[in-house]
Amino acid sequence: MCGIAGIIGSYKEAQLENMLKSQYHRGPDVTAKYFDSGFCALGHNRLAIIDLSTESNQPFKDDSERYVLVFNGEIYNYIELKAVLSNQYNFKTESDTEVLLAAFIIYGKSCLEKLNGMFAFAIWDNQEKKLFAARDRFGVKPFYYSVFKDSFYFSSEIKALHAAGIQKVSNEKVWASYFAFGSYGMPDETFWSDITQLPGGHFLEFENKKTTIRKWYFFEEEVAKQPKDLTFEEAKKQYVALLKDSINLRFRADVKVGFNVSGGLDSSVLLALVNVQEDNSKINAYTFYTNDSDYDELPWVEKMIAETQNPLKKVLLQSDEIPGLTQKIQWQQDEPFGGVPTLAYAKIFEQARKDQVLVLLDGQGMDEQWAGYDYYTQNNEATIQGVQDSPFKINILADSFLEKAEKPLYPKPFEVEVLNKQYRDLFYTKIPRALRFNDRVSMAYSTELREPFLDYRLVEFAFSLPLDYKIKDGVSKFILREIASEYFANDLVFAPKRALQTPQREWLATDLKEWVSQSVKEIENAVQAVWFNKEALQKEVKSYFEGNIQSSFHIWQYISLYEMLKVSSNK
């Protein structure tokens, strides 16, 4: 897990230095650079996880020194790949980094299909003077780029591009869509003009000042290849086998590994299978709480942990921490993020780092593959006509700003509408934003987050199964509950779904009222004040303070903008 940066074309060494300094938190172990004079500058911040030796430092060159790699992420199946490649490549390290480069040299672009991992990488060919870059199937690891004065800039975080001299200008279409529809942008968009992200499952080539982007992962085709007509028990058995293998692969590390746990079904499955395959009962489990019984899942977590006896690290988040922590995490995120739950999550990684646990496993991705949300089987899509019943308050937006908003439209590649909703959440909405939030908070504390439930084999297989394997007699994630019931009591396994929550609504209206008021006041005095109808904004905030707190998302949107303005003014 690391930070990567590069400039292809005309560059100054100080630009690369500034990019690497801005991403230092992503890899504090080693910072190194490579220059192909007049053509290319590559940089890397290393967080050493696999093969801790200096021989695995990056930028990493093959023996011929033709190819140079900078890589962020992990190739979980590197041992298996290395065994296949060893008769064609002379390996000198025990790293997944070298396996990735060898796979590219031997297989070319088709190496991507052989990788099971999370990755964003760039390979410079100093013979042909061209760059090849790629991002993993679901976009777990970030890759941002910008073409500026005929040079190609890339990095793991947006702030690095700004540090290189790319002007920081708001992408008003994305900001307007965020305020009007709660959209965080399409897979290639960011909140900043002239900065693009490479979508998950795509690769990029830059040669002769020309950028070419191609899709390499075709999810719908892979789903269609899955076995047909499996019985419920056959499907369950095959899924469990894949799940166990996925978790095993993600325990490959030369540092301490732990895992995150909440009181829900997904965490119970992760907890059970982490412990069932080997003696992992001494591995730390992490959870957060707020001392609010209306929201905390701590009693459920403690009941689950009692079954496995893992050391449980409980991290407390309190309201008076929110302003300072928001400022830190907003700087890390570069774009609006998901509120107080993300801050609570950040504190887990802070504690893990203190415990010298550098890798944490998490349960992200089960709801999207097993149709775990209520709205998958309900016709309750938000519409602009019903926006007053929605958390998105378009009445506070100035007409000229609202006109720039675009209600996002998503492809529907499947005949079944539930699958289309799952597909949307997986590639366009819930998973992309959660992965971005989570990458930044884990990296803020120089720790690595791994998502075993987002192994592409699991997602493809679950998508292909009949709907009644997923939802049966009104019970969602049915196969998953059947798996969990082998390890935990039914009151845990068949409990209603509980969204992972914090007292955000109450805190913003009471404990943090002064902070919220100050945020809105600063917005009204900023250049971005023209985005809003001032009277409507003040009325909305007053209504919230007076008890209309059914939704706090729009209040958090104002705070996000305020904190972004502070980051910009302090850069």
Side-chain angles (χ1 to χ4, degrees), residues 35-48:
F35 297 100
D36 185 354
S37 183
F39 293 98
C40 168
L42 299 179
H44 189 261
N45 304 104
R46 185 182 185 196
L47 176 62

Side-chain angles (χ1 to χ4, degrees), residues 159-175:
K159 65 178 65 64
L161 297 176
H162 290 144
I166 308 298
Q167 191 175 4
K168 194 169 188 177
V169 178
S170 296
N171 183 334
E172 292 197 354
K173 175 228 168 182
V174 175
W175 278 101

Side-chain angles (χ1 to χ4, degrees), residues 138-273:
F138 302 121
V140 180
K141 293 291 98 188
F143 189 97
Y144 295 99
Y145 67 93
S146 181
V147 178
F148 179 62
K149 294 182 178 178
D150 289 333
S151 291
F152 181 87
Y153 294 73
F154 70 88
S155 60
S156 294
E157 296 185 9
I158 291 172
K159 65 178 65 64
L161 297 176
H162 290 144
I166 308 298
Q167 191 175 4
K168 194 169 188 177
V169 178
S170 296
N171 183 334
E172 292 197 354
K173 175 228 168 182
V174 175
W175 278 101
S177 301
Y178 169 66
F179 280 107
F181 304 113
S183 168
Y184 287 82
M186 298 301 278
D188 62 340
E189 292 180 320
T190 75
F191 282 75
W192 306 105
S193 295
D194 302 319
I195 294 179
T196 306
Q197 59 176 325
L198 181 64
H202 286 66
F203 68 77
L204 174 153
E205 294 175 293
F206 185 78
E207 184 179 14
N208 296 325
K209 300 181 180 180
K210 182 181 178 182
T211 306
T212 304
I213 297 173
R214 295 280 187 271
K215 185 175 181 178
W216 69 267
Y217 180 50
F218 297 91
F219 177 74
E220 308 92 302
E221 296 178 10
E222 297 304 319
V223 170
K225 295 176 185 176
Q226 297 301 307
K228 304 293 189 295
D229 301 323
L230 293 177
T231 67
F232 183 88
E233 287 301 321
E234 289 171 338
K236 176 183 167 185
K237 182 178 179 180
Q238 185 166 333
Y239 187 79
V240 169
L242 289 172
L243 189 51
K244 288 180 177 179
D245 188 57
S246 175
I247 292 173
N248 265 342
L249 289 177
R250 283 157 183 80
F251 263 92
R252 289 177 171 174
D254 294 323
V255 296
K256 291 168 68 175
V257 179
F259 61 98
N260 299 330
V261 60
S262 67
L265 172 65
D266 303 350
S267 283
S268 71
V269 173
L270 179 61
L271 175 63
L273 295 184

Side-chain angles (χ1 to χ4, degrees), residues 296-322:
D296 285 346
E297 296 198 336
L298 193 54
W300 296 86
V301 171
E302 291 176 330
K303 189 171 184 179
M304 288 161 48
I305 289 291
E307 300 287 329
T308 62
Q309 297 298 307
N310 291 88
L312 178 62
K313 296 293 185 117
K314 297 175 283 191
V315 180
L316 174 63
L317 177 69
Q318 297 178 299
S319 62
D320 60 358
E321 300 177 82
I322 299 303

Side-chain angles (χ1 to χ4, degrees), residues 286 313 315 346-356:
Y286 291 85
K313 296 293 185 117
V315 180
K347 291 202 68 177
I348 286 178
F349 295 101
E350 181 181 31
Q351 183 61 50
R353 182 74 195 189
K354 290 177 182 177
D355 297 337
Q356 297 183 322

Side-chain angles (χ1 to χ4, degrees), residues 98 107 190 262 379 445 520 526 564:
E98 188 174 23
Y107 298 123
T190 75
S262 67
N379 184 21
Y445 298 100
V520 174
M564 290 303 306

